[in-house]
């Protein structure tokens, strides 16, 4: 559910112009591509999600997260966290 909350937070903050960091455990590289590539915003626009009240569409947001963002969760490999999609390695904090 954390990813859904992060997407809802993204909608709220982006409508005010604030920057949003990638949720914990998610690849920041891939998260940025999904956000700035416009894929999520295009889907939001096509589904008529209200950026100031996205909770009403949380079911749709959850489905989007499971379909499109499931593969960008970092996996532990030795001392690092690695993204299975882009293969970039991160040191845990």
């Amino acid at each position: 559910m954390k990813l859904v909350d992060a997407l809802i937070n993204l909608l709220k903050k982006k409508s005010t112009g604030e920057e949003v960091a990638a949720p914990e455990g998610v690849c920041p590289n891939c998260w940025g591509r999904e956000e700035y590539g416009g894929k999520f915003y295009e889907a939001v626009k096509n589904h008529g999600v209200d950026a100031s009240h996205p909770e009403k569409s949380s079911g749709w947001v959850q489905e989007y997260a499971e379909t499109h963002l499931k593969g960008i969760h970092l996996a532990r490999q030795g001392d690092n966290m690695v993204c299975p999609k882009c293969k970039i390695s991160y040191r845990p904090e």
Side-chain angles (χ1 to χ4, degrees):
M1 193 66 150
K2 285 183 183 180
L3 194 52
V4 173
D5 294 335
L7 287 172
I8 289 173
N9 189 32
L10 174 75
L11 284 176
K12 286 180 179 177
K13 287 191 174 186
K14 276 299 186 180
S15 67
T16 64
E18 291 181 55
E19 286 191 26
V20 181
E24 186 177 334
V26 174
C27 176
N29 182 50
C30 293
W31 174 262
R33 267 193 253 143
E34 288 295 328
E35 179 184 351
Y36 297 112
K39 295 176 190 174
F40 181 60
Y41 290 107
E42 187 65 29
V44 165
K45 187 174 87 176
N46 289 340
H47 283 83
V49 176
D50 180 5
S52 41
H53 297 94
E55 299 86 3
K56 294 178 183 175
S57 303
S58 63
W60 176 85
V61 174
Q62 183 173 2
E63 181 181 330
Y64 184 90
E66 289 173 2
T67 303
H68 298 283
L69 303 175
K70 192 176 187 178
I72 65 171
H73 284 277
L74 298 174
R76 182 166 293 283
Q77 285 186 359
D79 292 339
N80 296 321
M81 300 296 283
V82 179
C83 175
K85 187 171 184 177
C86 70
K87 308 296 186 222
I88 292 180
S89 177
Y90 300 92
R91 283 223 169 249
E93 294 179 3

